[in-house]
Amino acid sequence: MARTKATKRPSFHYKRTSWTRFHLPRGQEWPSWPMGYSDPHLGPLSGVPGYQKVWLGKKVEGPEQAALIILWESADALSNFQASPACAEFLQGLPAENDAQASVESGTLLRRLSLNEDGTSSAATTASSRFFSFQWTTPSPLQGDLQGRVTVTALAMPHVTQSWHDDVRNALGQFVPAGCEDLLSSGVPLRFWTGWGWVDTQNGGNNGDTGPFIFCEFRRWDGYGGATPEREEAAANSPLAKESWARTVAKLMPPVTAWEQERWDTKLAPSFIYPDDDDEDEDEEVEKDEEDVEFERNLEKFIEQQSS
């Protein structure tokens, strides 16, 4: 069956990726809602407009610490969902973590974005605080494909400058942790398996605004360019790799006041797994943002060069 025909795909600048953390009981593969929804894996979300993909993420160090990761076509689509009755029903199937379930050492910085400033949750702020969203800063394959082993490095900055985005990306754009240097000689640019985004804030992180601002780097260790889950596992357990990360982060400007890494194993919701994309209607046409088209064209050209 063909997928719904799209008239125009929003640019990556407008899309948002939201993470909703929750406690997933041991032995349970997906969250559960009462019967009656068209998609049992998505529950109340299944009838909501504006979302494009959904993944389930589990923390590597503690699979009971989970997250539903949703790609939205725009910030407005996410906001409209948060203001709808479906959001409250959706969150009922995602019980919030408590301090006894969540590791104090892992996820503190990003977990605070799902809580109040004092680190607690409340009914009054549930709908908004349970969702924190990332705005992608550049076109990246990861925006629509977060499946597999994914690491998230969160950097907190007290303020931003005119060139903060480029400065941080330049510092980390060719960085691999100690022990992974051979990945740079694989011929596959790092940008094909990394992505960048910053956590949405009310003022949008404009130059001169006060923070803190959270800038995140995503890396997908799915074997592309030799970046396998096994290599990620080795790096995560290597003191030298951790030291190399610390040294690199210490050089960043604006200065980083806090940083952390999270390790996730993610999988796509079954309703987004298609047996054969060729089953789509031949007349299906999707207008793409010019930057997205250019990125995909360069990616295809690079892959052709590597296979010739």
Side-chain angles (χ1 to χ4, degrees):
M1 180 181 294
R3 281 175 277 180
T4 303
K5 182 176 181 179
T7 55
K8 184 174 178 61
R9 187 177 71 179
S11 166
F12 71 92
H13 289 297
Y14 301 101
K15 294 184 180 183
R16 295 295 188 273
T17 300
S18 65
W19 290 55
T20 301
R21 295 169 183 265
F22 67 101
H23 173 69
L24 185 66
R26 188 176 299 274
Q28 184 175 325
E29 289 300 315
W30 285 86
S32 60
W33 292 271
M35 300 295 292
Y37 295 107
S38 59
D39 189 328
H41 297 94
L42 304 183
L45 184 66
S46 56
V48 172
Y51 71 92
Q52 296 183 327
K53 278 189 178 181
V54 180
W55 299 266
L56 172 70
K58 296 181 180 180
K59 293 287 288 294
V60 175
E61 296 88 352
E64 293 184 22
Q65 299 178 52
L68 271 189
I69 306 164
I70 307 172
L71 176 63
W72 300 88
E73 67 179 22
S74 67
D76 287 341
L78 171 57
S79 297
N80 291 339
F81 173 64
Q82 290 176 301
S84 72
C87 182
E89 298 175 14
F90 179 72
L91 292 175
Q92 287 178 2
L94 306 177
E97 297 176 324
N98 58 44
D99 291 338
Q101 296 163 345
S103 169
V104 175
E105 294 80 16
S106 178
T108 303
L109 180 59
L110 290 176
R111 283 185 66 250
R112 286 185 67 251
L113 300 175
S114 297
L115 303 171
N116 296 326
E117 286 302 314
D118 60 358
T120 63
S121 59
S122 68
T125 59
T126 293
S128 59
S129 67
R130 291 292 303 280
F131 294 84
F132 66 88
S133 62
F134 299 94
Q135 177 179 353
W136 296 85
T137 62
T138 57
S140 170
L142 271 66
Q143 185 181 65
D145 190 4
L146 281 171
Q147 184 163 317
R149 176 63 57 85
V150 176
T151 57
V152 183
T153 302
L155 309 168
M157 300 178 180
H159 64 276
V160 293
T161 62
Q162 189 67 38
S163 61
W164 71 275
H165 174 262
D166 290 338
D167 291 342
V168 174
R169 288 189 63 223
N170 289 339
L172 293 177
Q174 291 300 315
F175 169 77
V176 292
C180 296
E181 292 84 357
D182 59 299
L183 298 180
L184 296 176
S185 61
S186 66
V188 178
L190 223 58
R191 67 178 182 274
F192 289 156
W193 52 284
T194 60
W196 297 87
W198 50 274
V199 177
D200 282 322
T201 56
Q202 186 175 2
N203 54 25
N206 296 317
N207 183 41
D209 290 333
T210 57
F213 301 104
I214 311 296
F215 192 51
C216 295
E217 187 222 44
F218 301 80
R219 298 195 180 200
R220 186 182 61 198
W221 301 75
D222 64 344
Y224 201 53
T228 63
E230 292 76 16
R231 296 298 300 274
E232 188 281 330
E233 190 78 30
N237 294 314
S238 168
L240 291 179
K242 295 178 181 178
E243 290 175 7
S244 64
W245 267 108
R247 288 195 302 270
T248 300
V249 170
K251 298 176 183 178
L252 296 179
M253 294 297 293
V256 173
T257 56
W259 72 284
E260 70 180 19
Q261 289 183 323
E262 293 188 349
R263 305 167 63 218
W264 294 85
D265 283 326
T266 63
K267 60 182 179 180
L268 191 63
S271 56
F272 295 95
I273 300 175
Y274 302 97
D276 190 350
D277 286 341
D278 291 338
D279 289 341
E280 297 180 19
D281 290 341
E282 293 182 0
D283 62 348
E284 180 178 349
E285 296 180 359
V286 179
E287 296 182 19
K288 299 180 178 180
D289 181 87
E290 291 182 359
E291 292 175 282
D292 292 344
V293 172
E294 181 64 21
F295 179 85
E296 292 175 3
R297 185 184 299 118
N298 291 337
L299 177 58
E300 291 173 359
K301 184 183 298 184
F302 175 81
I303 294 175
E304 290 176 358
Q305 292 174 347
Q306 294 300 305
S307 60
S308 61

